[in-house]
Amino acid sequence: MNKIKIEAENVNFYYGKTKALSGIDLKIYEKKVLALIGPSGCGKSTFLRCLNRMNDLIDGTRVEGKILLDGEDVYDKNVDVVKLRMRVGMVFQKSNPFPKTIFENVAYGLRVNGTKDKKILQEKVEQSLKQAAIWDEVKDRLHTSALSLSGGQQQRICIARALAISPEIILMDEPASALDPISTEKIEYLIHELKNLYTIVIVTHNMQQAARVSDFTAFFYVGELVEVDLTGTIFTNPTKKQTEDYITGKFG
Amino acid sequence: MENNLSLSKGKINSRKIAERVIFIFLRLVAVFVLGILGIILYFIFSEGFSVLSIGFLTEMPKEGMTEGGIFPAIVGTGYLVFFSMLFALPVGVCAGIYLQDYAKQGFLVKLIRLATNNLAGVPSIVFGLFGMAFFVHFLGFGASVLAGSLTLSLVVLPVIIRTTEEAVKTVPREIREASLALGATKWQTTYKIVLPYAFSGILTGSILSVGRVAGETAPILFTCAAYFLPRLPNSIFNEVMALPYHLYVISTSGTQIEKSRPLAYGTALVILMIVALTNLIAVILRNKFKIKQ
């Protein structure tokens, strides 16, 4: 069995008085893809955003329990959120490039973390764009605005941007939900390539996508983790009735 | 049951008439408003245009302000605009960013917002009195460019705070999150992402407040404006002439009001042109720096 990269222990999460997650226990294995599925509002995105503490930005939220990254609780008082987020990168649902050039988008994470050397920046940007399988499409216009690209290209720029700071884990929040089938296929192919180097957690509404890209699948329902197992098992032989109903399309 | 496709006229017609009447009414009101603006502009242009000349803009007033130019008033207004912006911009922009992005949204922030909004509604003569009491007397600046600029900066501070807040608010949450998710600190996100994005909005607000500063009379009345001062100030502790006050003086309390009337229209025209120019600049810059999403 692979090494455990992240381990959630009895995680509860509150938006004000509303409990959004209760008692989540989940192990995330290194260099594997974990898909989080479940109907809207089930807490899968909330859980994802706990892993890099993006929920800290929302006033009135509260977390209980532990989320251990290589054995270290990310919610510990001594944790530097900036360092955490450099190790746990994120790709969002809506492609959200900065209104800057393609180059500056990818270099952003390096720049804010103090990299000034132009050569290193250039190498890293090229390497990240290649990893995100978009280098060939943009190499001649690195200094044009990232907003001039198509939605699918923008999303791959966002992936390259996340890769540039060499994270260990990449969180993806429905990264292909706003994209056409061809762009989606590219992103999925990318996930296949990236899992050799990174641990990936992906939230998706698209069950076929979960089946195609992931090694493990976790099914969330009304703030609880119903079941987690190998993707093959979840989709062919789930132990819980709720999981079966959801994946067969009986509800949700 | 009524047939939706029925072409019977009765009901439809009365609705159409109402529609027409309302439409004509709204159009008349709009034309009326435009018309008034047009009349004011026409009046000032026709009365003041003949006075406009290079000399009018570059000479000192002469003969008890019935002849000569308005140069010191233009320069004075320039000083007041410059220094009041120097004080109001940094404070206003920082306050706006703090209120919108940093302060914990709660009772205190609500209170500050309420205070800011009320401040914006305070009559400018009250600012003038406050400026006189506080800057001129209490802090001992005397009637001076400094006291006048500080008073004017208080007048426009709420405007700048509000526009900054509004501009900062338009920055999409996704972009801020992207920045933070890449390991940027909050401050890095503010100045690398939020500020460039909000820049055109902040700029617009600031330039509009330049127009306001250039045109306000009451705040400078007791704090810096000189009745007649045919030389330029040589420090910020000097009094100055300023366009709006000069206009007031030569149209109400000059030595020979009738004789200086054309000059008054000329001065009004210059103020109007300065305000129009700053607004035009605001529009151009806003479009130039606007970030399309």
Side-chain angles (χ1 to χ4, degrees):
Chain A
M1 208 58 184
N2 275 62
K3 190 184 151 208
I4 293 169
K5 189 70 187 170
I6 296 180
E7 185 165 9
E9 285 179 2
N10 195 21
V11 172
N12 296 322
F13 186 86
Y14 303 84
Y15 290 106
K17 284 182 182 141
T18 320
K19 197 171 190 183
L21 291 174
S22 41
I24 308 291
D25 287 300
L26 183 59
K27 293 182 178 67
I28 300 171
Y29 295 97
E30 189 170 42
K31 293 182 185 166
K32 295 286 173 198
V33 179
L34 167 70
L36 308 180
I37 61 168
S40 296
C42 68
K44 55 195 189 307
S45 285
T46 302
F47 179 74
L48 190 79
R49 290 166 61 93
C50 283
L51 301 179
N52 66 343
R53 290 183 54 173
M54 277 319 259
N55 288 327
D56 289 15
L57 309 174
I58 305 166
D59 278 342
T61 56
R62 191 157 54 86
V63 189
E64 291 167 357
K66 281 183 180 173
I67 292 176
L68 305 171
L69 168 61
D70 289 335
E72 208 182 341
D73 187 2
V74 303
Y75 277 98
D76 191 279
K77 279 200 187 88
N78 296 321
V79 164
D80 180 353
V81 210
V82 167
K83 281 188 190 155
L84 169 70
R85 289 179 186 151
M86 288 183 70
R87 289 175 64 187
V88 187
M90 188 164 201
V91 177
F92 296 81
Q93 175 175 10
K94 204 177 135 213
S95 60
N96 54 355
F98 303 126
K100 297 173 182 281
T101 65
I102 295 168
F103 184 91
E104 285 305 322
N105 260 280
V106 183
Y108 185 82
L110 296 165
R111 282 200 200 277
V112 296
N113 289 296
T115 309
K116 291 209 173 75
D117 190 326
K118 275 200 174 140
K119 219 176 136 210
I120 296 179
L121 285 173
Q122 244 147 18
E123 276 170 14
K124 207 69 200 170
V125 167
E126 179 174 342
Q127 185 197 336
S128 310
L129 287 168
K130 279 179 176 162
Q131 264 190 310
I134 191 160
W135 173 251
D136 289 333
E137 290 161 64
V138 300
K139 65 180 176 206
D140 300 321
R141 46 173 170 156
L142 289 177
H143 298 287
T144 57
S145 169
L147 298 175
S148 64
L149 301 171
S150 75
Q153 289 173 323
Q154 286 188 10
Q155 193 60 307
R156 278 178 288 149
I157 293 293
C158 292
I159 293 176
R161 185 173 68 180
L163 295 177
I165 49 172
S166 315
E168 297 155 38
I169 297 142
I170 302 172
L171 310 175
M172 298 185 169
D173 193 357
E174 299 182 50
S177 66
L179 303 180
D180 65 81
I182 295 169
S183 303
T184 303
E185 198 193 325
K186 284 183 181 157
I187 302 278
E188 288 184 11
Y189 170 78
L190 202 54
I191 294 172
H192 263 291
E193 295 291 303
L194 293 175
K195 75 171 181 181
N196 297 318
L197 295 164
Y198 307 93
T199 307
I200 297 174
V201 186
I202 178 172
V203 164
T204 178
H205 267 126
N206 179 333
M207 241 101 53
Q208 285 84 11
Q209 184 170 67
R212 281 192 301 261
V213 302
S214 68
D215 303 298
F216 294 90
T217 297
F219 173 61
F220 281 70
Y221 189 62
V222 287
E224 287 179 29
L225 174 61
V226 176
E227 190 172 357
V228 58
D229 212 324
L230 287 166
T231 298
T233 314
I234 289 276
F235 279 92
T236 55
N237 192 18
T239 40
K240 298 269 171 58
K241 175 102 179 19
Q242 273 173 322
T243 316
E244 191 180 336
D245 286 352
Y246 184 69
I247 59 172
T248 53
K250 279 191 190 143
F251 80 100
Chain B
M1 191 163 157
E2 211 174 317
N3 183 352
N4 282 334
L5 287 174
S6 159
L7 297 173
S8 78
K9 282 192 168 173
K11 215 175 179 184
I12 293 176
N13 234 3
S14 70
R15 278 170 44 185
K16 268 196 175 160
I17 289 167
E19 176 118 337
R20 271 219 100 89
V21 169
I22 292 292
F23 196 72
I24 289 169
F25 175 71
L26 293 178
R27 185 178 279 179
L28 278 178
V29 172
V31 169
F32 178 69
V33 172
L34 257 182
I36 290 189
L37 186 68
I39 290 170
I40 294 176
L41 283 178
Y42 173 77
F43 187 63
I44 294 190
F45 257 89
S46 62
E47 297 280 335
F49 195 74
S50 58
V51 197
L52 274 197
S53 66
I54 301 288
F56 184 66
L57 297 176
T58 57
E59 281 173 19
M60 298 289 168
K62 286 178 222 155
E63 308 289 332
M65 294 188 276
T66 56
E67 278 174 42
I70 53 168
F71 183 58
I74 294 178
V75 172
T77 289
Y79 276 126
L80 290 174
V81 165
F82 177 78
F83 285 106
S84 57
M85 285 297 130
L86 195 67
F87 304 129
L89 262 190
V91 177
V93 170
C94 291
I97 291 172
Y98 175 76
L99 284 177
Q100 190 61 43
D101 266 14
Y102 285 80
K104 206 169 156 62
Q105 304 298 314
F107 179 70
L108 188 66
V109 167
K110 270 193 194 142
L111 199 70
I112 297 177
R113 283 220 177 94
L114 191 72
T116 319
N117 286 343
N118 279 319
L119 211 56
V122 170
S124 52
I125 187 73
V126 177
F127 280 102
L129 272 174
F130 171 79
M132 181 176 69
F134 188 69
F135 297 121
V136 176
H137 294 306
F138 183 73
L139 294 182
F141 294 153
S144 61
V145 174
L146 183 62
S149 309
L150 285 169
T151 310
L152 284 169
S153 68
L154 293 184
V155 175
V156 293
L157 203 53
V159 182
I160 295 178
I161 293 176
R162 283 314 302 250
T163 44
T164 303
E165 272 202 84
E166 292 303 319
V168 167
K169 213 195 268 180
T170 61
V171 181
R173 196 191 138 109
E174 292 88 19
I175 297 195
R176 299 163 191 263
E177 288 194 338
S179 169
L180 293 163
L182 288 167
T185 59
K186 186 141 193 187
W187 166 240
Q188 285 175 322
T189 304
T190 299
Y191 93 98
K192 280 182 175 253
I193 303 295
V194 174
L195 273 184
Y197 204 99
F199 188 67
S200 79
I202 296 174
L203 202 66
T204 314
S206 327
I207 295 176
L208 291 179
S209 44
V210 166
R212 179 94 190 269
V213 167
E216 279 286 358
T217 319
I220 56 173
L221 206 53
F222 326 117
T223 55
C224 69
Y227 177 78
F228 176 66
L229 192 72
R231 59 186 152 77
L232 300 182
N234 42 27
S235 97
I236 53 170
F237 292 104
N238 288 146
E239 286 184 68
V240 278
M241 292 183 78
L243 286 170
Y245 183 62
H246 182 64
L247 175 58
Y248 166 73
V249 164
I250 56 178
S251 43
T252 63
S253 56
T255 44
Q256 289 156 292
I257 292 171
E258 280 313 316
K259 258 181 108 178
S260 54
R261 182 102 335 149
L263 295 186
Y265 284 114
T267 309
L269 187 55
V270 171
I271 297 179
L272 265 186
M273 290 196 316
I274 288 176
V275 173
L277 194 70
T278 51
N279 289 7
L280 186 70
I281 293 172
V283 172
I284 293 170
L285 288 180
R286 183 174 56 206
N287 290 335
K288 188 170 185 305
F289 287 104
K290 191 161 208 166
I291 285 166
K292 288 167 197 82
Q293 191 53 358

